[in-house]
């Protein structure tokens, strides 16, 4: 019985809690990608860099707050900086729309042209971020680190295995939960939210109904930018901030959005957790876990790891390929490709 | 009015009008410019000549959205509902421009199309073809338009459903709305029409009351199959 | 201004720019830049074949270039007999089992009708196959990687002249393109972009982690060269004589000691330039061959058909053109060209460093070259390759110089000034983005637009 408890705790510590936290972060990012896809109808390659931009502002404001001695008690100061960063990021997103995408929207350009334009935006944002904060790792987490420490958990339960639950993980899960609920409430119950869904569903009919496309697009960017900033900040608190990593997160975002069904907000969330679960569970070494569960002489020799951790991003892509082959519209029928 | 999609004009001095509480039907062979005429009236393509007036006001230069505000509503031939939204949300979106209470209008639509009331919380995409058309017409009615334009409302629905739809359209007419309709099923459509327009290659070929057109041997021979 | 005048003018401009680099910085640097310009142009040609001819949105350039790099290692490095001895057989069995699994999976997929049964059999086959493969491959890989890990720890190559790898690199990339194309070419353009981006990341992940193949992040250095080594040149009489003859003016009338010194430093300097010139010759030859073939292909009936498919797939299909087949073909050809360029790049570097493959540099920058040069126009891609690479490289010194000038009044140790000086290199990303956005907006055909029709970007 203790063995089973130990195994469960081990799995919770290294798989379940990380999946919940990482999955929430992916879900937020994928929501942004899927909203832009649903309303503006293109895959936004600049999303990772928009996230990096937002996080950078958070970090700068956090540093400034720290320098004047402001803190948020046990919670990270970055949360205080977040609203400012969101405002800046929204401004940036609206500016890029005004300066770049609106032109192609009026011309009704093909999705490929939009994507290339977003690559241009990606370069610009990437350049700005590296210019201001540099290409290196930045740590900006402060306050308490743990909600539950591994050692005190062991002490409390008397088990061999410890369970650590970081503040950043708890914050991520909590904030994302609240955000997702409010986003869905907004989309289902408000006039603007319904207009967004209508516009995403049938652009021409939305125009015939008098829905103003520019307003829908504007709201979409505001939500996307806010989500990107929050997702980036939470990811940065949980791991660390590095511009290139954020750019690379684009791939799991796309994977999550497509796996769930692109253009479907619920799909993005399901997809985020599916991708996070696959990435972590396929690259986790189950040796210790099995040792608790099987008789001693059966204990495996190797690490019992399906793929080395370096293949994390590859896993998200493999899922993507599988989905494209088996069910191209994703789990919840998104747009057919 | 004359107009087309750039390049050669599809419409040539074509003239269509409809009065309050009346149904005007535009019929004609394939490629006669029926749908083009509808789009031209709704401002979805540019006129090279001529103008569109609504209640005496020249609206030739207005965009489709502005025409909606002025009291025109259009039901396109295809993709005319928000498939992923519920029936009720479809109706709400129809009334998007209105800031006043839309409850009355919605009740009115539900009276006209009772089936929609039962299915109000179902996604429009899950409904049958005929029900979808009802949603589409209902959505257009939500702006309480003066003119309702229907582009082949019976395309792809079964004959029974078609008859029912025509009946509903007659009921809509009773409320004093002007209805302009393009139809493939010329005979049935002319049956309920106050005025019929027969278009051929973008020109008015015959214009008369629906009855008279149905009775005219020439029209029967060429367009109604004897 | 017609296209011919534009081409002449643009290339003259580039020649001037290179000349300026040569005169004000150094000739050696100018040649380094020129060599990378040539390679970039070849890569841009490959992307242009896919995007410009056929409208295929491939953003997996980095992966194909890396495969070319793998070819350079596998062709030029000698085999490691110990590694083959300890793990060779097991690895061959594993490879066989892997292929068997794939074949069985494909057969299952095709023979059994869609449904639960197929899903069960398919997953069963794949899982069993993976276990069987790894039963043999895991110990083999561990053994191979244990063989003298500081120096080898991999199987090595086949020890042929590295020039062969340029062809092999093309073949590798073409093979990968065939597999990818079979899976992904049916997708809408932006999905294809996402898919190829992902595949290129996977290829890099494999290169970084499969040490038995190319030593992973431990890199493979010291690849043999297709051109002479500086050391050898400095020792050979003919080269010293050549240098003496070239520098006879400045050497004239010096005392013998001064003469010795100057000559030996000239020899050292010139040997470097000579090596680079050799590379330039090789790369230029490849570029000219591929460019000629591309131009001929584009103007042939095949090229016209490709463009017809690109501009209107439906009507081309109605005319009986096999769209999927043509797309696959052009995808393979374009990727092969990128693979060749990748092999050339690794040859020039003399080492394979998987850690340095970065999509910004190896994929998106190439795309900027194609769009700015003029998509659909081969000469445009070459021009884009030269221009963008030059800008990319020179943006850093120019940026530093500009910021130095602009912030000079702040004083030497001002933190803002130091930060800006430090960050100046990142401005080039910013600039590339702006250049791309401006060209797309205001000159969508690029500098040299496609000849036959209005540029593709205009619609």
């Amino acid at each position: 019985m203790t063995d089973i408890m130990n195994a469960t705790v081990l799995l919770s510590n290294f798989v379940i809690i990380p999946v919940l936290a990482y999955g929430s972060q992916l879900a937020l990012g994928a929501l942004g990608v899927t909203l832009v896809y649903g309303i503006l109808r293109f895959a936004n390659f600049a999303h990772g860099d928009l996230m990096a931009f937002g996080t950078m502002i958070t970090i700068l404001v956090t540093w400034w707050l720290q320098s004047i001695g402001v803190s948020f008690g046990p919670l990270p100061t970055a949360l205080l900086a977040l609203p400012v960063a969101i405002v800046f990021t929204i401004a940036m997103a609206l500016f890029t729309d005004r300066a770049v995408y609106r032109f192609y929207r009026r011309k009704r350009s093909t999705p490929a042209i939009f994507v290339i334009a977003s690559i241009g935006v990606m370069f610009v944002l990437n350049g700005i971020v590296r210019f201001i904060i540099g290409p290196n790792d930045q740590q900006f987490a402060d306050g308490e680190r743990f909600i539950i420490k591994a050692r005190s958990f062991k002490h409390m339960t008397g088990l061999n295995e410890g369970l650590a639950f970081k503040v950043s993980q708890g914050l991520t899960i909590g904030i994302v939960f609240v955000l997702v609920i409010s986003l869905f409430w907004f989309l289902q119950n408000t006039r603007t939210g319904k207009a967004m869904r209508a516009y995403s569903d049938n652009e021409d009919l939305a125009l015939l109904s008098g829905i103003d496309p520019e307003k829908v697009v504007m709201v979409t960017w505001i939500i996307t930018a806010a989500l990107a900033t929050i997702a980036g900040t939470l990811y940065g608190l949980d791991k660390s901030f590095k511009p290139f990593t954020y750019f690379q997160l684009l791939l799991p975002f796309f994977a999550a959005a497509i796996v769930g069904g692109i253009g479907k907000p619920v799909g993005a969330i399901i997809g985020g957790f599916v991708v996070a679960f696959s990435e972590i569970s396929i690259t986790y070494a189950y040796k210790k876990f099995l040792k608790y569960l099987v008789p001693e002489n059966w204990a495996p020799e190797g690490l019992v790891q399906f793929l080395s951790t370096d293949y994390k991003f590859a896993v998200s892509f493999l899922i993507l390929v599988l989905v494209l082959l088996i069910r191209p519209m994703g789990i919840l029928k998104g747009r057919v490709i | 009015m004359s107009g087309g999609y750039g390049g050669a004009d599809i419409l040539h001095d074509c003239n269509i009008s409809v009065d309050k509480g009346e149904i005007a039907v535009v019929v004609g062979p394939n490629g006669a410019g029926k749908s083009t005429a509808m789009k031209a009236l709704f401002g979805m393509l540019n006129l090279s000549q001529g103008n569109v007036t609504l209640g005496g006001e020249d609206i030739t230069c207005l965009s489709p959205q502005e025409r909606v505000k002025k009291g025109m509503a259009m039901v396109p031939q295809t993709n005319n509902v928000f498939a992923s939204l519920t029936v009720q949300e479809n109706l709400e979106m129809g009334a998007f421009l209105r800031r006043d209470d839309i409850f009355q209008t919605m009740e009115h639509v539900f009276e006209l199309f009772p089936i929609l009331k039962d299915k109000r919380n179902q996604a429009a995409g899950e409904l049958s073809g005929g029900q979808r058309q009802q949603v589409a017409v209902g959505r257009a009615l939500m702006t309480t338009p003066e003119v309702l334009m229907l582009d082949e409302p019976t395309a792809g629905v079964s004959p029974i459903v078609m008859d029912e739809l025509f009946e509903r359209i007659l009921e809509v007419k009773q409320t004093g709305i002007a209805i302009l309709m393009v139809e493939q099923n010329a005979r049935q459509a002319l049956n309920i029409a106050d005025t019929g327009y027969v278009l051929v290659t973008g020109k008015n070929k015959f214009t008369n009351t629906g009855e008279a057109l149905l009775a005219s041997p020439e029209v029967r021979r060429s367009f109604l199959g004897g | 201004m017609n296209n011919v005048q534009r081409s002449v003018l643009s290339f003259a401009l580039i020649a001037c720019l290179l000349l300026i680099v040569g005169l004000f910085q150094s000739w050696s640097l100018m040649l380094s830049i020129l060599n990378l310009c040539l390679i970039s142009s070849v890569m841009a040609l490959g992307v242009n074949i896919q995007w410009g001819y056929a409208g295929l949105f491939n953003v997996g350039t980095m992966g194909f270039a890396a495969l070319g790099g793998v070819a350079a290692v596998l062709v030029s490095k000698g085999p490691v007999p110990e590694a083959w001895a300890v793990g060779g057989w097991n690895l061959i069995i594993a490879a066989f089992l892997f292929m068997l699994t794939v074949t069985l999976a494909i057969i299952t997929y095709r023979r059994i009708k869609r449904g639960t049964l197929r899903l069960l059999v398919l997953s069963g086959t794949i899982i069993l196959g993976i276990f069987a493969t790894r039963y043999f491959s895991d110990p083999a890989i561990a053994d191979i990687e244990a063989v003298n890990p500081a120096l080898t720890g991999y199987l090595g190559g086949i020890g042929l002249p590295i020039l062969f790898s340029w062809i092999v690199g093309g073949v590798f990339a073409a093979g990968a393109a065939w597999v990818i194309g079979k899976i992904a070419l049916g997708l809408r353009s932006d999905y294809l972009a996402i898919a190829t981006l992902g595949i290129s990341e996977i290829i890099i992940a494999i290169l970084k982690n499969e040490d038995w193949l190319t030593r992973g992040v431990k890199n493979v250095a010291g690849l043999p060269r297709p051109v002479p080594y500086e050391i050898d040149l400095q020792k050979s009489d003919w080269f010293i004589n050549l240098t003496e003859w070239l520098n006879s003016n400045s050497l004239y009338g010096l005392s013998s000691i001064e003469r010795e010194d100057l000559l030996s430093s000239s020899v050292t300097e010139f040997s470097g330039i000579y090596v680079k010139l050799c590379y330039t010759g090789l790369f230029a030859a490849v570029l000219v061959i591929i460019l000629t073939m591309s131009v001929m292909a584009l103007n042939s009936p095949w090229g016209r058909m490709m463009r017809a498919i690109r501009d209107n797939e439906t009507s081309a299909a109605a005319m009986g053109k096999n769209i999927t087949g043509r797309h696959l073909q052009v995808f393979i050809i374009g990727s092969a060209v990128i693979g060749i360029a990748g092999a050339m790049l690794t040859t020039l570097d003399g080492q394979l460093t998987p850690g340095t493959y970065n999509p910004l540099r190896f994929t998106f920058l190439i795309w900027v070259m194609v769009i700015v040069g003029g998509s659909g126009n081969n000469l445009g891609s070459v021009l884009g390759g030269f221009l963008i690479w030059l800008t990319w490289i020179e943006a850093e010194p120019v940026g530093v110089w500009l910021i130095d000038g602009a912030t000079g009044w702040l004083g030497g140790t001002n933190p803002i000034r130091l930060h800006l000086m430090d960050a100046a290199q990142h401005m080039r990303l910013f600039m590339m983005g702006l250049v791309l956005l401006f060209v797309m907006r205001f000159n969508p055909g690029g500098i040299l637009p496609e000849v036959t029709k209005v540029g593709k970007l205009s619609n």
Side-chain angles (χ1 to χ4, degrees), chain C residues 11 47 52 55 91 100 104 129 137 151 174 190 197 222 241 283 322 415 428 447 452:
Chain C
F11 278 102
V47 171
L91 208 59
L100 190 71
L104 281 179
S137 68
L151 280 178
D190 43 356
L197 181 72
N241 291 335
F283 295 155
N322 175 1
R428 61 188 190 186
I447 301 174
T452 43

Side-chain angles (χ1 to χ4, degrees), chain A residues 24-25 32 39 92 136 169 202:
Chain A
S24 310
Q25 290 150 6
I39 305 285
M92 177 53 98
N136 302 321
Q169 292 169 328
N202 190 335

Side-chain angles (χ1 to χ4, degrees), chain A residues 37 99 103-104 111 113 115 117 120 122-124 130-132 135 247-248 262 305-306 310-311 317 326 337, chain C residues 57 114 134 188 190-191 195 199 202 206 209-210 359 364 419-420 423 426-427 429-430 433 437 440-441 457:
Chain A
Y37 195 95
F103 173 76
Y104 300 103
I113 299 301
V115 173
M122 178 190 88
F123 265 112
V124 170
R130 288 178 195 221
F131 186 75
I132 297 179
F247 161 76
Q248 277 193 317
I262 197 145
Q305 183 182 23
F306 293 104
D310 307 283
Y311 284 117
F317 179 68
I326 299 169
I337 309 150
Chain C
F57 200 174
R114 197 186 178 105
R134 287 195 59 174
R188 209 184 93 165
D190 43 356
Y191 274 64
I199 290 170
I202 291 187
I206 292 175
N209 293 294
E210 300 306 315
F364 295 117
H419 174 81
L420 285 179
H426 302 301
M427 283 311 280
L429 291 164
F430 184 76
L437 290 174
M440 278 181 75
R441 175 82 171 255
L457 281 164

Side-chain angles (χ1 to χ4, degrees), chain C residues 253-438:
Chain C
L254 295 174
S255 73
S256 67
I257 298 170
E258 281 173 338
R259 196 187 147 86
E260 273 301 301
D261 278 356
L262 186 60
L263 184 59
S264 92
S265 73
S266 308
V267 165
T268 317
E269 195 196 328
F270 185 53
S271 65
I273 291 182
Y274 181 84
V275 168
K276 284 177 179 164
L277 271 175
C278 290
Y279 276 122
T280 309
L282 285 172
F283 295 155
V286 173
L287 177 63
V288 168
I289 292 170
I290 292 180
L291 179 63
T292 318
M293 282 164 65
S294 310
V295 171
M296 276 162 56
L298 189 61
N299 295 327
S300 69
W302 180 85
R304 280 198 295 278
M305 174 180 64
M306 280 339 273
R307 287 199 305 257
I309 293 176
R310 178 195 71 193
D311 292 338
N312 193 337
E313 259 181 48
T314 324
S315 66
M319 281 186 278
K321 306 293 179 204
N322 175 1
I323 308 238
T324 325
R326 293 308 113 195
H327 275 173
L328 187 62
Q329 195 180 29
V330 87
F331 189 65
I332 291 175
I333 295 174
S335 305
V337 171
I338 299 167
I340 293 172
M344 283 158 55
L345 184 67
T346 306
T347 309
L348 177 67
D349 289 345
Q351 58 176 352
L352 178 69
T353 48
T356 56
Y357 285 93
N358 168 337
L360 285 176
R361 149 80 178 84
F362 281 91
T363 299
F364 295 117
L365 193 64
I366 309 294
W367 268 89
V368 179
M369 292 171 185
V370 174
I371 303 285
V372 169
S375 45
N377 186 324
N378 290 305
L379 209 56
S381 299
V382 175
L383 178 72
F386 273 81
L387 197 64
I388 296 299
W389 186 258
L390 239 164
T391 323
W392 180 252
I393 289 299
E394 287 297 325
E396 191 180 335
V398 171
V400 170
W401 179 73
L402 280 177
I403 287 183
D404 194 25
T407 62
W409 54 274
L410 282 169
T413 53
N414 184 300
I416 294 178
R417 177 181 145 85
L418 289 179
H419 174 81
L420 285 179
M421 297 280 283
D422 198 34
Q425 51 167 320
H426 302 301
M427 283 311 280
R428 61 188 190 186
L429 291 164
F430 184 76
M431 268 183 58
M432 281 303 135
L434 278 192
V435 167
L436 177 66
L437 290 174
F438 272 98

